[in-house]
């Protein structure tokens, strides 16, 4: 339970009495400063007579002294008498020397002498049997892995900076420790309704036998009733296809998603039908940005700016009838006659393009593009690029999940540093996906409630 109010309050709740707080680590450091010990230590470091980290460094030796003293105290509590105490004579168990052990830490390897007892019943808790690393080192390795470093890069980095040598297999096992957490996250229950869901995939490289092949990492981002974005899952498959997306939608349904009002996706053939097979009442909105890119493939580089300007009145039209008139006008123009394939691209995707035109501007700018997931994919591509390729699908999902978590942590730390500053002085980026609230969501939700009252109102009460 978290304590509130006066930190010096008596935990027993009796009035008129107080208990002194135990000294903190800061208090111990302050005592060293006042005694002049820290100044003496730093003067030796500055003179090059003493190293702080690495082999023979001050910090590893300090950790060694603290841990060995703690282990000795544990053994004393286990045996019931102090070392050298005559009371221990004739007891069924006694001290039996020490066993050397190397412990990898954040400041380098520490050579410990772990005490033993003759009966072999002493089980240290400070440094458990079989433990070769501190928890902080494991977290450091996982953080480096999430940043895109390979297992070999991490091993080299630890050896160069800390003097710690860990095998590639050990580092791989440390990163694999999060796989169970990933599986729990991937199968967690979801909300019954998500007003908006974005579906998209990014290409990654995975080793397949003796070859490295392209595979598609499918990502789903859902917006809940509070306007908060969540990554619903990550799935890796050989290619991005409508059949696999149908399986993804079915899995989301099995995890509790009963209804989705609007699904935003690219123009993949068969994609809308795959979505409607799971949620028949959903509106499938083709991403306007993807549609523009598809049309621009047929346009010469010199004319691209002109064509983009000519197409803008289509997707900014007030109604679908006005948009159709703008498309017809573009088709009859000189640019339209020069690039009929671009006109055909819009014509073929028309029924999946126009749904967002029926909504007010507050909702239009949320659903006309999949930028909410494209920005996430952009961040993930920067990390994937450092890796080259993955050994298997699980490794890819593990890194993508860790990367998302790491990106959000970095942004949260940057926002924490600027807490309290005026809004015009803040430069830290907002939340990328997890926990991010869509701007203007209150007005957008109101528009959805008016359009689909029987589907969304039961969840709003």
């Amino acid at each position: 339970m978290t304590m509130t109010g006066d930190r010096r309050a008596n935990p027993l709740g009796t009035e008129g009495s107080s208990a002194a707080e135990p000294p903190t680590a800061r208090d111990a450091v302050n005592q060293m400063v006042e005694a002049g010990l820290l100044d003496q230590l730093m003067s030796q470091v500055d003179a090059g007579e003493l190293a702080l980290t690495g082999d023979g460094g001050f910090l590893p030796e300090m950790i060694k002294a603290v841990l060995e003293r703690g282990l000795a105290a544990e053994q004393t509590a286990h045996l019931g008498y102090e070392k050298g105490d005559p009371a221990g004579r004739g007891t069924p168990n006694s001290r039996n020397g020490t066993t050397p052990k190397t412990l990898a830490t954040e400041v380098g390897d520490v050579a410990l002498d772990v005490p033993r007892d003759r009966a072999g019943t002493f089980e240290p808790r400070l440094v458990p049997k079989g433990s070769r690393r501190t928890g902080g080192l494991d977290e450091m390795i996982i953080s480096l892995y999430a940043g895109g470093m390979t297992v070999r890069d991490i091993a080299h980095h630890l050896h160069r900076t800390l003097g710690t040598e860990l095998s590639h297999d050990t580092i791989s096992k440390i990163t694999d420790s999060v796989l169970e957490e990933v599986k729990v996250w991937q199968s967690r229950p979801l909300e019954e309704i998500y007003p908006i869901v974005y579906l998209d995939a990014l290409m990654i490289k995975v080793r397949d036998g003796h070859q490295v092949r392209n595979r598609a990492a499918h990502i789903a981002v859902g917006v809940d009733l509070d306007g908060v974005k969540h990554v619903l899952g990550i799935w890796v498959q050989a290619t991005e296809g409508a059949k696999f997306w149908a399986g993804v939608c079915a899995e989301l349904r099995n995890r509790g998603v009963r209804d989705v009002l609007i699904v935003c996706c690219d123009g993949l053939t068969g994609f809308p039908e795959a979505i409607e097979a799971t949620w028949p009442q959903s509106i499938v909105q083709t991403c306007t940005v993807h549609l523009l890119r598809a049309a621009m493939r047929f346009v010469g580089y010199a004319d691209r700016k002109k064509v983009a300007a000519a197409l803008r009145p289509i997707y900014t039209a007030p109604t679908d009838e006005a948009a159709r008139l703008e498309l017809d006008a573009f088709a009859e123009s000189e640019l339209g006659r020069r690039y009929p394939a671009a006109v055909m691209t819009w014509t073929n995707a028309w029924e999946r393009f126009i749904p967002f035109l029926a909504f007010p501007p507050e909702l239009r700018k949320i659903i006309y593009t999949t930028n909410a997931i494209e920005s996430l994919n952009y961040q993930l591509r920067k990390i994937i690029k450092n890796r080259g390729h993955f050994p298997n699908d699980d490794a890819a999902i593990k890194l993508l999940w860790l990367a998302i978590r790491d990106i959000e942590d970095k942004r949260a730390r940057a926002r924490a540093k600027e807490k309290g500053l005026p809004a015009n002085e803040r430069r830290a980026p907002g939340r990328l996906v997890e926990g991010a609230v869509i701007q203007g969501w209150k007005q957008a939700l109101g528009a959805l409630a008016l359009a689909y009252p029987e589907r969304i109102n039961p969840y709003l009460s």
Side-chain angles (χ1 to χ4, degrees):
M1 182 177 65
T2 303
M3 295 181 63
T4 58
D6 186 4
R7 293 182 59 193
R8 297 182 180 270
N10 190 339
L12 297 177
T14 56
E15 296 183 2
S17 62
S18 62
E21 286 185 342
T24 64
R26 173 54 60 185
D27 295 333
V29 172
N30 290 337
Q31 291 176 6
M32 292 180 65
V33 173
E34 292 171 2
L37 298 177
L38 196 59
D39 293 336
Q40 182 181 354
L41 171 67
M42 294 311 297
S43 64
Q44 290 180 287
V45 172
D46 293 339
E49 300 171 359
L50 182 66
L52 284 177
T53 60
D55 188 19
F58 173 78
L59 292 179
E61 290 299 325
M62 176 65 78
I63 292 174
K64 171 182 171 68
V66 171
L67 291 179
E68 288 183 351
R69 185 164 182 171
L71 290 170
E74 284 188 6
Q75 188 183 46
T76 296
H78 176 71
L79 296 176
Y81 64 92
E82 295 287 345
K83 185 176 182 179
D85 191 342
R89 295 174 183 173
T91 57
N93 197 6
S94 61
R95 290 171 172 80
N96 189 31
T98 60
T99 300
K101 179 176 186 175
T102 300
L103 185 70
T105 72
E106 304 96 306
V107 296
D109 289 343
V110 175
L112 292 179
D113 292 322
V114 182
R116 299 181 307 219
D117 63 337
R118 292 192 178 277
T121 56
F122 175 52
E123 294 284 346
R125 290 176 296 174
L126 191 59
V127 183
K129 288 184 177 180
S131 175
R132 294 289 178 181
R133 302 176 307 277
T134 59
L137 185 63
D138 287 5
E139 293 174 1
M140 180 188 296
I141 291 172
I142 291 174
S143 177
L144 292 173
Y145 187 85
M149 293 181 67
T150 65
V151 169
R152 295 178 182 275
D153 292 338
I154 294 173
H156 177 67
H157 175 76
L158 295 178
H159 177 68
R160 182 183 60 190
T161 58
L162 304 180
T164 299
E165 291 193 18
L166 294 179
S167 67
H168 299 162
D169 186 55
T170 299
I171 295 175
S172 182
K173 287 180 179 178
I174 293 172
T175 59
D176 285 344
S177 64
V178 303
L179 279 176
E180 194 63 35
E181 191 175 350
V182 174
K183 290 179 181 177
V184 172
W185 172 81
Q186 186 81 349
S187 59
R188 73 194 187 282
L190 301 175
E191 300 286 341
E192 290 189 21
I193 184 172
Y194 286 92
I196 302 172
V197 169
Y198 303 94
L199 302 177
D200 198 14
L202 72 158
M203 302 308 297
I204 59 176
K205 295 183 181 296
V206 179
R207 188 187 306 129
D208 183 10
H210 299 290
Q211 294 181 323
V212 175
R213 302 182 184 275
N214 287 331
R215 295 177 74 82
H218 302 68
I219 301 177
V221 173
V223 181
D224 64 17
L225 290 172
D226 295 322
V228 179
K229 293 181 286 187
H230 306 273
V231 179
L232 306 182
I234 303 170
W235 302 265
V236 175
Q237 182 67 5
T239 57
E240 183 185 10
K243 184 177 180 180
F244 185 78
W245 274 120
V248 169
C249 294
E251 180 180 325
L252 294 177
R253 176 64 185 255
N254 293 337
R255 288 166 57 191
V257 183
R258 294 176 55 187
D259 195 8
V260 175
L261 301 184
I262 302 172
V263 181
C264 305
C265 59
D266 58 22
L268 183 68
T269 303
F271 205 166
E273 291 75 16
I275 296 169
E276 291 168 347
T278 303
W279 301 295
Q281 293 182 293
S282 296
I283 288 180
V284 180
Q285 174 64 50
T286 294
C287 174
T288 303
V289 175
H290 280 83
L291 188 55
L292 283 168
R293 290 174 184 167
M296 288 296 181
R297 287 203 302 265
F298 308 102
V299 179
Y301 183 80
D303 292 330
R304 287 195 173 186
K305 289 186 178 181
K306 297 178 182 178
V307 172
L311 292 175
R312 180 176 175 79
I314 300 175
Y315 57 86
T316 57
T319 63
D320 57 341
E321 292 85 359
R324 188 71 205 194
L325 292 175
E326 293 292 346
L327 178 61
D328 293 340
F330 172 73
E332 296 172 0
S333 67
E334 180 185 350
L335 287 173
R337 290 193 297 270
R338 187 183 305 172
Y339 302 108
V343 177
M344 189 60 64
T345 299
W346 282 83
T347 303
N348 294 339
W350 191 255
E351 292 303 318
R352 299 298 181 181
F353 157 73
I354 59 174
F356 85 105
L357 296 174
F359 297 104
E362 296 83 8
L363 187 55
R364 279 192 184 190
K365 63 182 180 181
I366 297 175
I367 64 174
Y368 89 99
T369 178
T370 57
N371 275 354
I373 197 169
E374 290 287 352
S375 58
L376 172 64
N377 288 347
Y378 170 74
Q379 296 289 336
L380 295 178
R381 285 189 187 97
K382 292 195 297 184
I383 295 172
I384 292 170
K385 184 171 62 175
N386 296 335
R387 292 301 308 268
H389 66 272
F390 298 93
N392 51 56
D393 292 351
D394 285 342
I397 294 174
K398 175 178 65 176
L399 177 63
L400 292 173
W401 180 80
L402 285 171
I404 293 171
R405 191 181 68 173
D406 192 52
I407 291 168
E408 299 298 352
D409 287 346
K410 288 178 182 177
R411 292 181 171 222
R413 288 195 300 271
R415 291 193 300 274
K417 289 181 180 179
E418 296 184 353
K419 188 176 181 180
L421 292 177
N424 60 345
E425 296 182 14
R426 297 177 186 176
R427 299 293 181 268
R431 293 181 177 91
L432 183 63
V433 174
E434 292 298 321
V437 179
I438 289 183
Q439 188 176 6
W441 177 251
K442 186 175 180 180
Q443 293 82 356
L445 184 62
L448 288 171
L450 288 175
Y452 312 103
E454 70 286 352
R455 294 169 63 188
I456 199 171
N457 287 342
Y459 297 99
L460 294 176
S461 57

